[in-house]
Amino acid sequence: MESHVTSAVLSEEEHQDMLHRLILPAATSSAIRQDQPIVVVVGAGHRQEGGVR
């Protein structure tokens, strides 16, 4: 089965339209309304990679 992928550059207007009409509604459809915003920070802090500590 061959897959054909084509890249396309969207105008700013097309980008905003897709974001607000398709992406955000799909990403937030199961969100629960909160009285106050909740923030989750992922990956904060320093990683210990090899070398001198």
Side-chain angles (χ1 to χ4, degrees), residues 2-41:
E2 282 189 44
S3 175
H4 298 283
V5 177
T6 304
S7 296
V9 177
L10 300 176
S11 69
E12 182 63 24
E13 183 179 326
E14 291 170 318
H15 169 80
Q16 290 296 322
D17 179 54
M18 301 255 321
L19 177 67
H20 291 283
R21 191 171 47 86
L22 300 172
I23 298 168
L24 290 177
T28 60
S29 65
S30 62
I32 300 170
R33 184 164 180 80
Q34 303 288 323
D35 292 332
Q36 295 184 353
I38 297 174
V39 176
V40 177
V41 178

